[in-house]
């Protein structure tokens, strides 16, 4: 049976981190065949392989050193602290970019994010979405203030979830002004993995890396990770019976974001940060294969509303908000009136449909925003974007 603390909290995903931390702490390899056996009585009955990256060691091992109930409490407190810090950083960055017009967008951001089923799933499952939110907030704050250490910290936190962190790493690595931050973030991530080498030894570490690669191949076999039950390009092509690897979709997201940013170069740092913020999130949410809880990043774009001209970009962002916020609820109403497994998977598919549409609407909003710059937006928003004069990328 699942322990009382975890059963009460229903932190299904956190159990993976907890079991891995206990195995790492004991000098064992959680990527090997012993993971499910070590988690017996703790992991859910349908648990699969462990596929979190090894830089989680520095978080998982200290948590696993606590008793289960204390570990659950600590994880909840860490998530709340990450959410509070992320909100403060994002609102601060948006206030600087919008020359002080931040109060109503901040209220809208917090209201929509914290009343969404997306946030509820992050907290209920013990997912890592709030760490992703914190990493993104640190990265945006570092770009806004032109502070490399903050950029490095943001990328390092984002790399705790490679399917998301790698996109931002690639976008930073392709720019001369931010390339050093990308390299340092990789160094920090490598250092975070060093405890494995010291505890497992060189040979066992190499074997652990092989097991992780094998686990990543097995990861997609679970129904939870099928493209038809996730969003993005793989979801769309799944309806056509065509399989697109998640890595290919991530590359497509990077190429799209890179193309948009290169075609709309910005002369000022503030303008670049706004473009980077909206385009990177839009490309990620419209193309990469993501679970519903990964859409927590969408709500950050609401802070950019004062910077969007009255027209297609603002209307498309609001359309994306409606689709993203309502997707889980509409899916439940459509298929879960009488709960069943068939109904559950149909609801999951509809939710992925709506989220994919929301991501595409956000990408369209980003395209119209870039096409309308700088004159239309600046005129429509009292020249907010030209309020600062720091040089940028």
């Amino acid at each position: 049976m699942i322990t009382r603390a975890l059963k009460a909290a229903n932190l299904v995903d956190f159990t993976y981190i907890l079991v891995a931390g206990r195995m790492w702490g004991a000098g064992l390899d959680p990527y090997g065949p012993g993971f499910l056996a070590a988690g017996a009585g703790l992991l859910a009955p349908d648990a699969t392989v462990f596929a979190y990256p090894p830089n989680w060691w520095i978080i998982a091992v200290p948590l696993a050193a606590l008793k289960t109930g204390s570990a659950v409490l600590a994880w909840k407190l860490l998530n709340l602290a990450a959410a509070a810090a992320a909100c403060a950083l994002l609102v601060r960055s948006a206030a600087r970019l919008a020359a002080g017009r931040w109060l109503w967008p901040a209220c809208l951001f917090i209201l929509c994010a914290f009343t969404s089923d997306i946030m509820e799933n992050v907290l209920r499952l013990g997912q890592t979405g709030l760490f992703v939110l914190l990493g993104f907030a640190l990265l945006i704050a570092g770009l806004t203030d032109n502070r490399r250490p903050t950029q490095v910290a943001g990328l390092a936190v984002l790399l705790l979830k490679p399917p998301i962190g790698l996109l931002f790493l690639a976008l930073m690595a392709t720019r001369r002004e931010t390339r050093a931050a990308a390299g340092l973030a990789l160094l920090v991530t490598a250092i975070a993995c060093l405890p494995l080498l010291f505890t497992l030894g060189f040979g066992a570490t190499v074997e652990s890396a092989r097991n992780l690669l094998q686990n990543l191949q097995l990861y997609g076999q679970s129904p939870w990770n099928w493209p038809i039950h996730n969003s993005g390009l793989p979801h769309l092509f799944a309806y056509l019976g065509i399989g697109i690897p998640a890595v290919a979709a991530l590359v497509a997201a990077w190429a799209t974001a890179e193309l948009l940013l290169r075609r709309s170069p910005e002369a000022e740092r503030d303008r670049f940060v706004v473009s980077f913020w909206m385009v990177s999130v839009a490309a990620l949410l419209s193309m990469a294969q993501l679970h519903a809880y990964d859409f927590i990043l969408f709500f950050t774009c609401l802070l950019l509303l004062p910077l969007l001209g009255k027209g297609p970009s603002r209307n498309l962002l609001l359309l994306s908000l409606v689709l993203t916020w309502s997707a889980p609820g509409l899916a439940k109403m459509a298929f879960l009136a009488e709960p069943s497994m068939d109904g559950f998977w149909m609801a999951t598919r509809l939710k992925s449909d709506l989220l994919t549409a929301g991501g595409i609407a956000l990408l369209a909003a980003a395209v119209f925003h870039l096409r309308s710059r700088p004159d239309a937006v600046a005129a429509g928003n009292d020249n907010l974007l030209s309020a600062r004069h720091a040089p940028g990328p």
Side-chain angles (χ1 to χ4, degrees):
M1 294 179 62
I2 300 176
T3 61
R4 181 179 301 175
L6 286 171
K7 186 175 181 180
N10 198 24
L11 300 179
V12 176
D13 292 335
F14 176 61
T15 58
Y16 285 81
I17 296 172
L18 192 58
V19 173
R22 290 177 178 176
M23 294 186 71
W24 273 328
L28 302 174
D29 177 23
Y31 302 117
F35 177 74
L36 295 179
L42 191 63
L43 295 170
D46 60 347
T48 57
V49 295
F50 181 64
Y52 284 78
N55 45 329
W56 273 97
W57 193 99
I58 59 174
I59 298 175
V61 171
L63 285 171
L66 304 173
K67 293 182 179 179
T68 300
S70 299
V72 170
L73 178 60
W75 180 250
K76 288 184 176 181
L77 292 175
L78 281 174
N79 275 270
L80 292 175
C87 288
L89 287 168
L90 288 166
V91 170
R92 174 182 173 275
S93 296
R96 297 191 64 179
L97 294 169
R101 293 178 60 179
W102 61 271
L103 183 57
W104 71 263
C107 293
L108 182 64
F109 160 60
I110 294 172
L111 175 65
C112 292
F114 284 86
T115 60
S116 67
D117 282 351
I118 292 171
M119 177 67 79
E120 191 270 338
N121 280 332
V122 170
L123 295 172
R124 177 175 56 83
L125 297 174
Q127 252 295 329
T128 60
L130 292 177
F131 284 88
V132 171
L133 188 67
L134 175 61
F136 180 74
L138 286 166
L139 178 60
I140 292 299
L143 289 171
T144 303
D145 299 336
N146 196 20
R147 291 182 59 84
R148 183 175 295 168
T150 313
Q151 296 171 19
V152 172
L155 284 174
V157 175
L158 283 167
L159 285 171
L160 288 169
K161 189 154 190 174
I164 292 176
L166 286 174
L167 171 66
F168 293 98
L169 182 74
L171 290 173
M172 295 283 283
T174 52
R175 283 159 179 76
R176 178 176 54 83
E177 295 82 358
T178 56
R179 192 168 296 145
L184 288 171
L186 281 177
L187 178 61
V188 169
T189 299
I191 292 173
C193 298
L194 282 180
L196 274 72
L197 183 62
F198 298 140
T199 57
L200 298 180
F202 180 78
T205 299
V206 173
E207 182 63 26
S208 178
R210 291 174 182 164
N211 290 335
L212 173 57
L213 292 176
Q214 182 178 4
N215 286 358
L216 290 173
Q217 295 175 357
L218 297 173
Y219 180 78
Q221 296 181 8
S222 169
W224 298 101
N225 305 317
W226 290 355
I228 200 66
H229 297 145
N230 292 172
S231 65
L233 283 180
H235 175 77
L236 294 177
F237 277 88
Y239 277 111
L240 303 175
I242 302 173
I244 293 183
V247 172
L250 186 62
V251 171
W254 166 77
T256 300
E258 192 67 43
L259 177 64
L260 290 174
L261 292 173
R262 295 287 179 182
R263 287 173 62 89
S264 303
E266 301 291 0
E268 296 182 4
R269 174 167 297 278
D270 287 0
R271 291 178 176 173
F272 167 75
V273 175
V274 173
S275 297
F276 183 92
W277 184 332
M278 194 165 185
V279 168
S280 62
V281 174
L284 178 74
L285 299 187
S286 62
M287 297 190 175
Q289 181 176 330
L290 300 174
H291 292 90
Y293 42 71
D294 294 321
F295 273 69
I296 193 68
L297 283 180
F298 163 79
F299 298 105
T300 68
C301 293
L302 297 177
L303 292 166
L304 301 178
L305 274 169
L307 299 170
L308 304 182
K310 294 181 179 179
S313 57
R314 180 175 291 185
N315 294 336
L316 284 165
L317 177 56
L318 293 176
L319 172 62
S320 183
L321 170 62
V322 172
L323 291 169
T324 302
W325 190 90
S326 65
L330 290 176
K332 290 178 183 177
M333 289 173 58
F335 293 106
L336 294 182
E338 297 181 3
S340 67
M341 287 308 300
D342 287 342
F344 175 81
W345 291 120
M346 292 180 70
T348 302
R349 182 180 299 187
L350 176 59
K351 178 170 62 177
S352 298
D353 294 341
L354 294 171
L355 291 175
T356 301
I360 293 172
L362 181 62
L363 182 62
V367 171
F368 276 103
H369 173 61
L370 292 175
R371 289 180 62 183
S372 65
R373 298 165 68 84
D375 297 333
V377 175
N381 292 280
D382 302 320
N383 294 315
L384 289 176
L385 292 179
S386 60
R388 297 175 62 198
H389 304 285

